[in-house]
Amino acid sequence: MAYPMSRAVLGAQTVPLPTSPVVWSGYVHKTVRACLLVALLWATAVAMLGFFSPLEFRRMFEDVAHFVPALLFVIGLVGALALGHEIGHAYKHVLGYGNLKHASDHHGHTVLPPRGRRLLHATVLVGLLGGSVVAAAIRAAAAEWLGFLLLVGIVVVLLLPTLKFTRLALIVWRQVEEDRRQQQDIVAGGEHTIATVVAVTNEQFIVENKAMFHVELEYTVGGQPETAQIRFFDFPVWAPAAGNEFDVWFDPERPFMDDFTLIERRYVGQEFVQLAEEPVPGPHTGEAEVSLLREMVSERALSHSEVASMARIPQWMADEPHSSGPATPQAARRTRFLICIPPNLIALLALLGTLLVPLMIEDVPWWTLAALWVYTVLTLVNAAMYWQFMVRSRWFIRSGVSFGATEAAVFAGFFAAGFAMITTRSMVFGPLNQEVQWTPAHVLTWAAVIGALLVFEWAFTSNSWALKHLNDEFPAPPEAIQEALTGHDPDGIDQLERDYGYRAGVFLCD
């Protein structure tokens, strides 16, 4: 999407993160899901304080009544801390910009702006408050009044900050939606002109694989010539050159205000500078180097992430089919099917084993069966995500759902189901000590739970492999893909699919 020129003027501490309407919508969904999940994890961890005190961790191995709450406390705490950064990563793109933070004289990265952190704070506080209320209710039901009073005190302390940050977060969210509508209105109803690049300075600074340039633009406003100097970030493979074009939209009632002047770079039909010839920190590639790197990917000499880092190009571009040409539809579909086999196999084993446990194994307590069903549901959800990838579902590609989240959930379910099985003698130690006869239910549940380790390992290889083969048989010009992913046209990604069969969305941007 086009972004305000005020975010790109020289000296600004912001880095614009333009996204198409389809990609932006995907980031909105990712942000909402991440907030709900992080709040739920914090609430789960704190709610477990209704059953035990962290000061009594030594009692956790005494019986299942102590261990399960302690286990859920640890899973909730670790999961909330691990996933908290996902909110910031997605919310930067919802805001449309990040703040620039220098890591060295030649490198930097973007961080969530201060006003965006209100959403993160509100999410954590809502989870803590909700968990404290549940924990207090559990203590009251058990007539443990000292713990109840302590938790009520925590609720009182958290109530006002939670209300404050939730209100501020909602205000920022409404402002973001209003800004987005305003920008769409300027593009739809404002005046449009084309700006030409007349000068480019390479600042020899890299921000998250993008080089920083100072660009001078010339365009007309109301028939009068206008000049603008902006700071521009892009992958070095698309380094701007004199003569490149930008689209410029402005509000006719406020034509000279940077906040109401929107700019957007054109990619299709442009000529780019080969930065391999310039002394920019870090390796950069021209067309020949990109082809070489693609061949290295096909030969598995380097991982896709290593290639993208070396080439300073988008991940999806590093994963494009190499020079030998696109795969046949049959080969591409077969590869996507092979990627889906491990998680679907684990899900099938878990479902069959869980169904057979009450029929074949005696003395299985309800909490063990419940843990097995939770694990089974998580594996089925993970398998469904891989199936959506296999059929190249538009919803999957555009919604921002990732394998990482569902695979992490499977791994968390592994701990719960694994401990429940270990504490159930008839499922583990009974057959190992030949006290209980082995049954298909034993074999299937053991294989399914141990298979969580395979699923977790699969996460490290399947993500980049999946990205490579998502559009393996549908190549499209890289500039057309980039323009569809970052442009203002809501039909751009659909047009990309109509022209080339290439399906794009936020899945390509992570």
Side-chain angles (χ1 to χ4, degrees):
M1 182 65 184
Y3 53 88
M5 190 176 289
S6 58
R7 294 178 183 168
V9 295
L10 302 186
Q13 291 303 307
T14 56
V15 177
L17 302 171
T19 56
S20 73
V22 171
V23 174
W24 184 79
S25 178
Y27 277 118
V28 169
H29 294 149
K30 282 177 71 73
T31 302
V32 173
R33 282 194 300 268
C35 288
L36 293 175
L37 183 56
V38 169
L40 178 61
L41 288 169
W42 276 116
T44 299
V46 177
M48 293 304 101
L49 298 179
F51 296 102
F52 83 107
S53 169
L55 300 177
E56 301 173 343
F57 254 99
R58 64 183 182 277
R59 300 177 56 192
M60 62 186 294
F61 292 105
E62 293 179 2
D63 58 60
V64 70
H66 289 94
F67 186 87
V68 171
L71 177 64
L72 292 176
F73 174 81
V74 172
I75 290 175
L77 181 63
V78 173
L81 292 174
L83 293 176
H85 75 280
E86 291 292 333
I87 298 176
H89 172 71
Y91 199 37
K92 283 188 303 184
H93 294 274
V94 175
L95 293 173
Y97 69 96
N99 279 13
L100 177 61
K101 184 173 182 179
H102 289 253
S104 70
D105 291 338
H106 300 297
H107 292 84
H109 59 275
T110 59
V111 297
L112 187 65
R115 71 172 188 150
R117 295 173 195 162
R118 297 170 183 173
L119 180 64
L120 179 58
H121 296 157
T123 299
V124 173
L125 287 170
V126 167
L128 294 176
L129 180 63
S132 298
V133 171
V134 174
I138 293 171
R139 291 285 184 175
E144 297 178 3
W145 301 114
L146 179 59
F148 169 75
L149 292 175
L150 289 174
L151 288 165
V152 168
I154 294 175
V155 170
V156 172
V157 170
L158 291 175
L159 184 58
L160 288 180
T162 302
L163 293 175
K164 174 185 175 181
F165 277 99
T166 301
R167 181 178 64 84
L168 293 175
L170 291 174
I171 290 173
V172 172
W173 191 276
R174 287 193 291 267
Q175 288 175 342
V176 170
E177 292 180 331
E178 179 59 31
D179 290 345
R180 192 78 180 185
R181 282 193 294 269
Q182 184 181 75
Q183 293 166 16
Q184 291 173 338
D185 290 342
I186 292 176
V187 170
E191 295 189 17
H192 172 259
T193 186
I194 297 176
T196 302
V197 175
V198 295
V200 179
T201 302
N202 184 355
E203 294 302 313
Q204 300 189 3
F205 190 77
I206 299 293
V207 179
E208 296 173 354
N209 286 346
K210 293 184 178 181
M212 182 173 76
F213 307 93
H214 285 179
V215 177
E216 184 174 339
L217 303 176
E218 286 187 353
Y219 56 98
T220 59
V221 178
Q224 300 297 319
E226 181 72 13
T227 301
Q229 292 184 337
I230 65 170
R231 192 176 62 179
F232 181 69
F233 299 85
D234 213 331
F235 293 100
V237 72
W238 293 309
N244 282 180
E245 295 178 337
F246 281 68
D247 286 294
V248 179
W249 296 269
F250 56 88
D251 187 339
E253 297 181 0
R254 292 164 285 193
F256 301 104
M257 296 182 65
D258 289 343
D259 286 337
F260 300 94
T261 300
L262 308 182
I263 59 175
E264 179 178 294
R265 189 187 186 187
R266 292 184 174 184
Y267 291 89
V268 177
Q270 306 296 299
E271 297 291 336
F272 307 107
V273 173
Q274 295 297 320
L275 283 188
E277 302 173 357
E278 298 192 17
V280 181
H284 304 292
T285 59
E287 184 176 352
E289 287 89 344
V290 170
S291 298
L292 176 60
L293 286 167
R294 288 174 179 167
E295 292 176 4
M296 295 171 73
V297 172
S298 67
E299 296 169 359
R300 300 182 183 277
L302 292 174
S303 70
H304 300 298
S305 60
E306 290 172 330
V307 171
S309 178
M310 288 178 59
R312 307 292 187 188
I313 57 180
Q315 183 70 54
W316 55 261
M317 189 173 176
D319 290 330
E320 285 290 290
H322 50 83
S323 57
S324 62
T328 64
Q330 294 81 2
R333 286 194 293 268
R334 182 170 61 251
T335 302
R336 288 195 290 270
F337 177 76
L338 291 174
I339 293 173
C340 292
I341 287 178
N344 277 271
L345 177 60
I346 300 304
L348 179 61
L349 292 175
L351 179 60
L352 293 176
T354 302
L355 288 172
L356 292 176
V357 163
L359 302 177
M360 295 185 171
I361 304 177
E362 297 180 352
D363 301 324
V364 178
W366 67 267
W367 60 79
T368 298
L369 195 57
L372 287 172
W373 272 114
V374 169
Y375 176 68
T376 298
V377 170
L378 294 175
T379 60
L380 290 172
V381 171
N382 187 50
M385 291 302 101
Y386 274 91
W387 196 267
Q388 290 290 305
F389 154 76
M390 190 185 72
V391 299
R392 300 175 71 237
S393 162
R394 293 184 186 89
W395 170 84
F396 173 77
I397 299 169
R398 300 181 183 187
S399 68
V401 176
S402 66
F403 297 140
T406 55
E407 285 162 338
V410 169
F411 196 58
F414 156 78
F415 287 101
F419 173 75
M421 290 173 62
I422 290 175
T423 58
T424 303
R425 189 167 187 83
S426 60
M427 292 201 69
V428 178
F429 294 108
L432 286 177
N433 295 331
Q434 298 183 346
E435 300 170 2
V436 176
Q437 185 178 0
W438 284 94
T439 68
H442 288 101
V443 175
L444 291 170
T445 52
W446 275 48
V449 173
I450 295 174
L453 300 175
L454 173 62
V455 170
F456 190 67
E457 177 63 26
W458 193 241
F460 293 99
T461 57
S462 64
N463 286 350
S464 60
W465 199 23
L467 186 59
K468 173 178 174 59
H469 293 285
L470 177 66
N471 293 295
D472 206 11
E473 70 271 45
F474 300 105
E479 288 74 31
I481 300 171
Q482 180 70 356
E483 199 164 282
L485 290 172
T486 61
H488 70 280
D489 187 2
D491 190 51
I493 287 180
D494 288 329
Q495 186 64 47
L496 185 71
E497 183 175 347
R498 289 194 293 269
D499 290 344
Y500 304 101
Y502 193 104
R503 290 186 178 176
V506 69
F507 182 72
L508 299 183
C509 301
D510 289 338

